[in-house]
Amino acid sequence: MYLKAPTGCDKYIPYIEKITLGIIAAMDVLVVGSGGREHALAWKLKQSPRIGKLYIAPGNGGTSTLGENVPIGQMEFEKLAQFAQEKKVGLTVVGPDDPLVGGIVDVFKARGLRIWGPSREAAQIEGSKAFSKQFMHEAKIPTAEFAVFSNAALALAHVRVKGAPIVIKASGLSLGKGVYVCRDLTEAERAITEIMVERVHNDAGNEVVIEEYLDGPEISIHALTDGYSHILFPASQDHKPIGDGDVGENTGGMGTIAPVPWVTPEMMSSVEGQIVTPTFEALKKNGIQFQGLLYPGLKVTLGGLEVLEYNARFGDPETQVYMRLLKTDLLDLLEASVDGTIDALRTKIEWHRGFAANIVIASGGYPGEYKKELPITGIEDAEKVEGVVTFHAGTKIENGQVVTAGGRVLGVSAIGGTLKQALDRAYEAVGEIYFEGMYFRRDIGAKSLSA
Ligand SMILES: Nc1ncnc2c1ncn2[C@@H]1O[C@H](COP(=O)(O)OP(=O)(O)O)[C@@H](O)[C@H]1O
Ligand SMILES: [Mg+2]
């Protein structure tokens, strides 16, 4: 730490002077959420030279070792705002989509509290797929051909005309489980019945987007913005289906890599020119100020890039790899997004060289039903593997023992000079961890290694 430097060493004086003068004031930060993304954000924020107290509401077993877990739910906006006010929190950082779409930012701002994330209006771009498809259509942003329905009979008639393969989506937020990629008409009819008749996603299924099936690999794009300017992160890649080889049901995400080795600078220019810039311009044109993180999910098809959806927050588990690669202070970046000073950081943001990988370990049975409260062993040994950091998701600590508490339990991340090294380290570390029924994909990043 700089403060312990020998006196008389001028290199350290400016820093000490700044502290004495109170220029580098410590800031208390509240992170809202309880997943692997929030553990990764808290882990990176903790490294800021300006961080004061770190609170995580409600947090998980991992975040409790970095700061103070606060027992307030992520949808309890008034209680969270009250807490931030009482504790004089300098910045609240919102991780998940549900509170953003529910309007947590508006509640905080109405009380004059400083918060990072898009407003309820801006978060609609994620919260309603019907809205975002219409938005893309009007802004001429490449996306699959689509139609929106709120009547099951009309939806059924439409899929019969269009034929399979076809994709059926509940328009609202549904924990990453509202999208049905249907290979034949029977599957498509079943999907419409589930969403619109049985209403398994409740009101999220009031509207249904039916769209053309697109073929090709997927990438995740992250752009941090203050509503005026933006910073584009390197591309990352998640693996959504539960099974190796991308088979089976979709999950919240089973593993990530970044950067994606086959995404060329030319492709990133197209992402910028065809998707990111036009999206921000169209948002402005519609009078929507988006401050926060815009994460478009893309398909790379033979015909070019296509936007599958927008998310209005950091990806989970993309954040776990980004935080391992990011060199710049995250607090500086998030504050710039809140304060409208992103432009000044555009050319200053720094990333570590090399690659990062994150392997998600899930409870047996996820994304369906699974057991909870199972003791987890081996996390310390996993972290002895070079370059490895374990992020908790569905965990809690009970009598000093880490136990499972959710579907996605841990994210084992590693950095390496090559993608292969990062993956080898992460998988070696996964091998040290055990809980009954644990499940993970064995092919994260495999396609990119052979690409
Ligand atoms: N038009 C499409 N063609 C092919 N696959 C799709 C299409 N739309 C979505 N998918 C698949 O379904 C997944 C989830 O869809 P997405 O629109 O991202 O919804 P969400 O993340 O909200 O569940 C995507 O990651 C992709 O694998
Ligand atoms: Mg998605």
Side-chain angles (χ1 to χ4, degrees):
M1 192 56 211
Y2 289 149
L3 282 172
K4 285 186 190 148
T7 44
C9 178
D10 6 332
K11 204 169 135 202
Y12 299 99
I13 287 176
Y15 192 77
I16 291 169
E17 271 180 358
K18 279 182 188 169
I19 287 178
T20 335
L21 293 169
I23 295 170
I24 301 185
M27 183 192 292
D28 296 351
V29 173
L30 167 65
V31 176
V32 176
S34 61
R37 164 184 47 217
E38 287 74 33
H39 187 191
L41 291 172
W43 175 83
K44 183 68 186 165
L45 284 166
K46 182 81 184 167
Q47 293 164 34
S48 168
R50 294 191 294 121
I51 195 83
K53 274 199 182 143
L54 186 57
Y55 302 103
I56 308 94
N60 61 35
T63 60
S64 67
T65 64
L66 289 172
E68 186 182 328
N69 279 359
V70 181
I72 306 178
Q74 63 182 31
M75 298 306 283
E76 298 182 280
F77 303 163
E78 293 295 340
K79 278 193 191 167
L80 288 168
Q82 191 66 31
F83 177 85
Q85 209 151 5
E86 276 166 17
K87 298 286 181 186
K88 298 194 169 54
V89 165
L91 182 68
T92 297
V93 177
V94 188
D97 44 10
D98 279 310
L100 291 169
V101 172
I104 188 172
V105 169
D106 309 66
V107 170
F108 271 60
K109 284 192 173 163
R111 288 196 186 209
L113 296 167
R114 205 146 161 266
I115 185 162
W116 177 80
S119 65
R120 180 190 178 125
E121 186 190 34
Q124 254 211 98
I125 203 165
E126 167 163 15
S128 164
K129 288 189 190 291
F131 172 86
S132 76
K133 290 295 285 191
Q134 191 58 35
F135 172 89
M136 285 186 260
H137 177 68
E138 281 165 20
K140 299 196 169 49
I141 289 161
T143 190
E145 197 190 299
F146 72 104
V148 180
F149 296 92
S150 48
N151 174 298
L154 293 178
L156 282 169
H158 180 78
V159 299
R160 284 177 192 139
V161 171
K162 288 289 174 187
I166 195 159
V167 181
I168 321 269
K169 303 182 173 186
S171 177
L173 296 182
S174 19
L175 300 167
K177 292 174 189 165
V179 171
Y180 300 71
V181 179
C182 307
R183 282 164 301 181
D184 53 44
L185 278 184
T186 317
E187 278 183 21
E189 287 167 6
R190 178 79 215 124
I192 291 171
T193 308
E194 264 192 35
I195 305 171
M196 305 184 88
V197 182
E198 295 164 9
R199 299 182 58 79
V200 297
H201 306 291
N202 305 311
D203 284 356
N206 285 354
E207 282 183 305
V208 162
V209 173
I210 300 184
E211 64 180 43
E212 165 200 10
Y213 172 81
L214 300 170
D215 205 8
E218 284 174 44
I219 54 173
S220 300
I221 296 302
H222 281 56
L224 180 70
T225 180
D226 56 6
Y228 305 101
S229 183
H230 65 266
I231 296 173
L232 191 58
F233 290 10
S236 62
Q237 187 175 45
D238 189 8
H239 297 66
K240 289 277 172 204
I242 186 73
D244 286 3
D246 288 335
V247 298
E249 274 182 87
N250 262 344
T251 68
M254 294 303 293
T256 35
I257 57 164
V260 183
W262 49 265
V263 173
T264 59
E266 292 73 33
M267 275 171 77
M268 284 310 277
S269 301
S270 303
V271 166
E272 173 82 64
Q274 293 170 18
I275 291 155
V276 177
T277 301
T279 300
F280 286 131
E281 276 171 6
L283 280 165
K284 273 180 228 158
K285 212 173 119 206
N286 285 304
I288 300 173
Q289 212 214 3
F290 190 105
Q291 275 183 296
L293 199 291
L294 182 80
Y295 148 27
L298 308 188
K299 267 245 186 242
V300 184
T301 74
L302 287 176
L305 302 168
E306 302 270 357
V307 179
L308 288 179
E309 62 154 353
Y310 290 113
N311 300 288
R313 33 91 195 166
F314 275 104
D316 185 348
E318 285 86 345
T319 310
Q320 288 84 320
V321 283
Y322 283 131
M323 293 306 113
R324 298 301 314 280
L325 292 174
L326 183 65
K327 215 175 192 180
T328 306
D329 184 353
L330 178 64
L331 189 53
D332 285 351
L333 289 174
L334 299 182
E335 284 205 284
S337 166
V338 170
D339 296 340
T341 54
I342 282 288
D343 210 37
L345 288 177
R346 267 176 78 100
T347 53
K348 293 204 183 106
I349 185 166
E350 287 186 287
W351 299 92
H352 291 291
R353 274 202 277 173
F355 293 81
N358 181 69
I359 315 299
V360 170
I361 306 182
S363 297
Y366 173 80
E369 294 198 354
Y370 50 82
K371 284 192 203 166
K372 284 187 189 174
E373 313 261 330
L374 301 168
I376 306 170
T377 57
I379 295 175
E380 272 180 27
D381 289 331
E383 294 201 322
K384 285 183 191 146
V385 178
E386 198 177 342
V388 167
V389 173
T390 300
F391 294 117
H392 292 226
T395 75
K396 62 181 180 180
I397 298 177
E398 249 176 22
N399 306 320
Q401 167 70 49
V402 183
V403 299
T404 65
R408 292 189 296 168
V409 176
L410 295 169
V412 180
S413 76
I415 48 172
T418 60
L419 177 59
K420 179 157 190 328
Q421 188 180 45
L423 287 164
D424 286 347
R425 286 172 170 177
Y427 275 114
E428 187 189 337
V430 166
E432 298 290 340
I433 293 172
Y434 178 78
F435 58 87
E436 187 195 314
M438 69 180 241
Y439 172 82
F440 59 92
R441 273 183 66 162
R442 292 169 193 274
D443 65 342
I444 301 304
K447 277 190 191 152
S448 290
L449 280 179
S450 57

